[in-house]
């Protein structure tokens, strides 16, 4: 059987949820026994999102193989429960860099290098690459941005060519548009969708399916109007209404028969298999019917934009459902936290998470939050920079080390308890040069980490340059902040905890990147569990 290709394009406005629709369709096809993967093509010129400010593009998601990617890859992994890789996220920067490198090597035999065919050929090659691996029955490709964006034009042209080159039963195009509701007129309006589809058709791409994002149910006359003016069959007009949770969208797409529509077009026998969604429905049942409730503070520096900590917020949803508990996450800007304000801000919280980040802004607020959690025996989890600030706080307050700090903030600190890795000191470029991807960690028997994971060797994903300075590890351990997890090969510290505290643990890695609805991460599950215990003992 030849690999089938689905292309998901958006129109009218960004943030309609192309990633969620792509993930939901992939989940449904997977639930019928097909092997599915999703890839994201982003039109921006950056080679990857690794150097982008989180305010610009949300969080940077890191794959097992160390690729810094778009946050939509997090959705793909959470829905499919399958790892993605560097091959699943391509940007204009990667495409152009590859073509220019080839030109410098003389690969084009002196020809004038142009957007068509050279750039579009490289885009098409990348679009088909995963399908040619033989691992997947269906490859879903999401195009970032919206139809009409200047930077998206080469990608849309590549889809046009593939729609023409591939067999009709091997290619399907989904166009996601907005059907807004005008309160003054008290009606839904299809004109934005019509214009978007017309623009797509002017570029030579003909959608097979139109998914309409809407806040209100689509009446039959609206569906007929969209079908008529957008030149698709009536059953190919799909309603995507606002849901209580993104994880409910696959079930809404089952009702709309989106998966059946795709399987019919592809003539796949999997249409005879009933979707196996038992675990998914069980997760949703626990999510929507909690028996307890906790308040957890997330102290970070990018809290104004929800997408900046997307994976952490999703991990709390997974962990909450696992504990049948509603988790109210209170996003607190670390710049607003100080020794004088910390009790007022965090006093009513059942647990505290100090989030990852880069740079000096808000550092002292994170340190104040760590100190408050430690001294008041509040369940605490520090991730990456959050763990490092726990080391700084302990060094200052308990060890009384003058000027204890990370050299990321103060290069000439008297006590550099957090320092740059040796292999990082020679790097002059920023992109893709951190410790990235999965690394193994050995855990001390009998530690809190051992209790949480239930095993002595784990693998977790990283994204950082600075490490706990091993010069201070024994000193910290003697004083009560113990390194209970270390990198198997280098001996670098991965986990720090305080045995005398009910739940105080910091990790150098990013556990949020591996949490899914069907496999919630044990660190978050445990934090929520201890938060419930703390609340009930208050």
């Amino acid at each position: 059987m030849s690999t089938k290709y689905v292309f998901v394009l958006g129109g009218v406005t960004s943030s309609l949820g192309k990633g969620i629709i792509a993930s939901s369709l992939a989940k449904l096809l997977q639930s019928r026994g097909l092997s599915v993967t999703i890839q994201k093509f982003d039109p921006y010129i950056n080679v990857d999102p690794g150097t982008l400010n989180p305010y610009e593009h949300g969080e940077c998601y890191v794959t097992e193989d160390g690729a810094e990617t778009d946050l939509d890859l997090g959705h793909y992994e959470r829905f499919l429960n399958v790892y993605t890789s560097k091959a699943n996220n391509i940007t204009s920067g990667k495409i152009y860099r590859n073509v220019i490198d080839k030109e410098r090597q003389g690969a084009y035999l002196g020809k004038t290098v142009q957007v068509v065919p050279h750039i579009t050929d490289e885009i098409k090659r990348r679009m088909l690459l995963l399908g040619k691996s033989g691992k997947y029955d269906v490859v879903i490709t999401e195009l970032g941005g919206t139809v009409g964006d200047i930077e998206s034009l080469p990608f849309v042209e590549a889809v046009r060519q593939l729609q023409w080159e591939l067999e009709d039963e091997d290619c399907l195009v989904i166009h996601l548009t907005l059907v807004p509701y005008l309160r003054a007129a008290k009606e839904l309006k299809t004109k934005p969708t019509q214009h978007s589809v017309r623009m797509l058709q002017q570029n030579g791409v003909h959608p097979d399916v139109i998914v309409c994002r809407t806040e209100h149910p689509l009446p039959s006359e609206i569906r007929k109007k969209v079908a008529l003016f957008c030149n698709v069959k009536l059953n190919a007009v799909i309603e995507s209404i606002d849901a209580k949770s993104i994880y409910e969208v696959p079930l809404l797409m089952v009702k709309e028969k989106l998966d059946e529509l795709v399987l019919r077009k592809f003539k796949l026998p999997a249409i005879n298999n009933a979707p196996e969604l038992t675990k998914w429905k069980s997760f949703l049942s626990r999510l929507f019917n909690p028996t307890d409730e906790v308040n957890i503070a997330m102290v970070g520096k990018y809290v104004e934009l929800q997408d900046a900590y997307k994976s952490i917020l999703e991990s709390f949803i997974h962990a909450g459902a696992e504990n049948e508990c509603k988790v109210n996450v209170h996003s607190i800007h670390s710049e607003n936290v100080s020794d004088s304000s910390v009790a007022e801000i965090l006093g009513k919280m059942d647990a505290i998470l100090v989030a990852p980040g880069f740079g000096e802004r808000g550092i002292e607020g994170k340190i104040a939050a760590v100190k408050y959690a430690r001294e008041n025996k509040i369940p605490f989890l520090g991730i990456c920079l959050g763990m490092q600030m726990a080391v700084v706080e302990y060094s200052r307050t308990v060890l009384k080390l003058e000027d204890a700090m990370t050299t990321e903030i103060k290069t000439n600190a008297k006590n550099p308890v957090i320092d740059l890795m040796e292999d990082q000191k020679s790097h002059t470029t920023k992109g893709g040069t951190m410790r990235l991807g999965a690394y193994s960690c050995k855990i001390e028997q009998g530690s809190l980490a051992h209790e949480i994971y239930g095993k002595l060797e784990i693998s977790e994903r990283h994204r950082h340059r600075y490490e706990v300075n091993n010069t201070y590890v024994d000193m910290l351990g003697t004083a009560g902040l113990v390194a209970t997890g270390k990198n198997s090969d280098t001996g670098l510290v991965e986990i720090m905890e305080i045995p005398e505290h009910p739940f105080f643990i910091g990790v150098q890695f990013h556990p949020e990147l591996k949490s899914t609805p069907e496999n919630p991460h044990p660190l978050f599950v445990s934090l929520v569990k201890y938060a419930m215990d703390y609340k009930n003992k208050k």
Side-chain angles (χ1 to χ4, degrees):
M1 181 186 80
S2 57
T3 303
K4 311 297 182 183
Y5 296 91
V6 177
F7 298 96
V8 181
L9 296 83
V12 184
T13 177
S14 59
S15 302
L16 285 181
K18 292 190 299 295
I20 302 303
I21 290 296
S23 300
S24 298
L25 174 60
K27 183 69 186 174
L28 296 180
L29 297 178
Q30 184 192 58
S31 74
R32 290 174 180 263
L34 294 171
S35 176
V36 188
T37 191
I38 319 176
Q39 55 188 354
K40 176 78 180 285
F41 279 67
D42 275 307
Y44 51 73
I45 305 297
N46 302 66
V47 172
D48 59 48
T51 55
L52 284 174
N53 188 313
Y55 289 127
E56 285 274 333
H57 208 69
E59 77 172 0
C60 176
Y61 189 81
V62 178
T63 59
E64 284 283 295
D65 61 354
E68 293 177 291
T69 69
D70 184 82
L71 62 82
D72 271 321
L73 269 73
H75 289 312
Y76 305 163
E77 290 199 4
R78 288 188 281 271
F79 275 68
L80 290 178
N81 218 32
V82 173
Y83 293 154
T84 54
S85 72
K86 61 183 66 176
N88 292 75
N89 191 202
I90 305 297
T91 66
S92 283
K94 285 180 182 172
I95 297 291
Y96 278 86
R97 187 165 73 172
N98 207 33
V99 169
I100 290 167
D101 286 346
K102 283 183 180 178
E103 186 274 330
R104 292 289 83 190
Q105 295 158 11
Y108 299 115
L109 300 174
K111 288 193 175 293
T112 303
V113 179
Q114 297 175 288
V115 172
V116 181
H118 301 101
I119 296 297
T120 51
D121 280 353
E122 178 64 14
I123 293 171
K124 286 192 296 179
R125 185 185 74 81
R126 294 291 190 116
M127 285 177 167
L128 300 177
L129 200 59
L130 286 171
K132 289 180 177 176
S133 68
K135 296 179 184 176
Y136 306 107
D137 302 314
V138 181
V139 176
I140 299 176
T141 300
E142 176 195 348
L143 292 194
T146 58
V147 173
D149 294 346
I150 290 174
E151 59 265 34
S152 296
L153 287 173
F155 293 89
V156 175
E157 169 61 18
V159 172
R160 181 196 71 78
Q161 292 181 24
L162 287 174
Q163 198 175 28
W164 176 65
E165 292 168 8
L166 294 169
E167 294 294 329
D168 190 50
E169 62 190 49
D170 290 347
C171 179
L172 180 137
V173 175
I174 295 174
H175 191 47
L176 178 65
T177 70
L178 178 68
V179 177
Y181 180 79
L182 297 187
R183 280 193 172 81
K186 294 183 180 178
E187 61 180 336
L188 291 160
K189 290 294 184 181
T190 65
K191 196 63 75 177
T193 291
Q194 292 179 47
H195 281 305
S196 183
V197 172
R198 193 164 298 148
M199 185 173 290
L200 187 62
Q201 290 171 336
Q202 284 171 354
N203 288 325
V205 177
H206 301 280
D208 300 285
V209 180
I210 296 173
V211 177
C212 301
R213 281 288 285 116
T214 175
E215 295 176 346
H216 299 270
L218 294 180
S220 58
E221 63 268 21
I222 292 288
R223 291 188 191 234
K224 286 176 183 175
K225 193 173 181 181
V226 171
L228 176 65
F229 288 106
C230 297
N231 203 28
V232 296
K233 298 290 185 185
L234 182 59
N235 69 339
V237 178
I238 303 293
E239 172 191 286
S240 177
I241 199 165
D242 288 358
K244 286 188 288 183
S245 164
I246 58 171
Y247 300 111
E248 196 181 12
V249 177
L251 302 187
L252 296 178
M253 291 303 104
V254 167
K255 288 182 183 176
E256 289 291 305
K257 300 184 178 179
L258 176 61
D259 54 332
E260 287 185 29
L261 187 67
V262 171
L263 290 167
R264 280 203 189 90
K265 168 77 189 264
F266 288 156
K267 299 180 182 176
L268 290 173
I271 196 168
N272 299 314
N273 304 340
E276 175 46 61
L277 294 166
T278 306
K279 284 183 76 175
W280 198 260
K281 289 177 180 176
S282 173
F283 159 72
L284 284 173
S285 176
R286 295 193 305 275
L287 178 64
F288 293 146
N289 300 285
T291 58
D292 205 344
E293 186 173 350
V294 293
N295 293 291
I296 297 181
M298 181 179 70
V299 182
K301 59 188 285 188
Y302 309 115
V303 295
E304 299 94 331
L305 182 68
Q306 191 167 315
D307 279 354
Y309 296 115
K310 190 65 178 174
S311 291
I312 291 176
L313 295 172
E314 295 303 313
S315 297
F316 275 126
I317 292 172
H318 311 153
E322 184 71 11
N323 285 287
E324 296 185 11
C325 175
K326 181 183 178 185
V327 179
N328 300 312
V329 180
H330 299 260
S331 297
I332 295 166
H333 203 299
S334 54
E335 282 190 303
N336 297 331
V337 182
S338 64
D339 288 334
S340 59
S341 67
V342 65
E344 183 185 347
I345 294 171
L346 300 178
K348 295 179 181 177
M349 296 296 137
D350 303 313
I352 296 168
L353 181 146
V354 175
F358 295 91
E360 183 176 3
R361 188 168 61 91
I363 282 288
E364 293 300 327
K366 290 187 175 187
I367 292 170
V370 171
K371 184 179 180 183
Y372 187 79
R374 181 178 64 80
E375 292 182 341
N376 292 279
K377 306 293 186 190
I378 302 170
F380 168 83
L381 172 61
I383 297 177
C384 200
L385 184 64
M387 180 267 249
Q388 294 176 0
M389 291 306 98
V391 173
V392 170
E393 188 277 326
Y394 209 85
S395 300
R396 287 181 181 181
T397 312
V398 180
L399 292 179
K400 307 295 184 187
L401 292 179
E402 184 187 353
D403 199 28
M405 190 36 117
T406 166
T407 55
E408 179 184 1
I409 308 305
K410 191 171 184 180
T411 53
N412 60 346
K414 287 182 184 175
N415 285 289
V417 291
I418 307 295
D419 200 4
L420 196 63
M421 295 181 288
E422 278 303 317
D423 65 343
Q424 288 288 324
K425 290 179 180 177
S426 60
H427 284 300
T428 55
T429 57
K430 298 294 185 188
T433 56
M434 288 185 275
R435 181 145 78 103
L436 294 165
Y439 288 85
S440 62
C441 168
K442 284 187 177 175
I443 294 175
E444 289 289 327
Q445 193 155 5
S447 62
L448 176 60
H450 184 202
E451 175 197 316
I452 291 168
Y453 280 96
K455 49 188 176 183
L456 295 174
E457 184 136 4
I458 59 169
S459 173
E460 293 282 6
R461 297 182 198 173
H462 296 67
R463 183 176 183 249
H464 64 103
R465 296 181 197 283
Y466 293 80
E467 304 277 359
V468 176
N469 188 336
N470 277 336
T471 306
Y472 296 87
V473 169
D474 289 342
M475 199 187 311
L476 287 162
T478 303
L481 181 62
V482 184
T484 58
K486 292 188 177 182
N487 181 277
S488 307
D489 300 317
T490 63
L492 293 168
V493 173
E494 297 278 12
I495 304 172
M496 301 285 281
E497 58 185 72
I498 300 176
E500 298 304 312
H501 191 288
F503 189 96
F504 188 102
I505 187 165
V507 296
Q508 182 59 75
F509 46 79
H510 290 262
E512 71 273 17
L513 299 177
K514 293 182 78 167
S515 185
T516 71
E518 295 179 10
N519 283 301
H521 197 284
L523 269 168
F524 284 89
V525 173
S526 297
L527 180 64
V528 173
K529 178 177 174 291
Y530 275 82
M532 292 163 67
D533 292 343
Y534 177 83
K535 173 197 164 192
N536 294 329
K537 287 174 184 174
K538 274 200 273 189

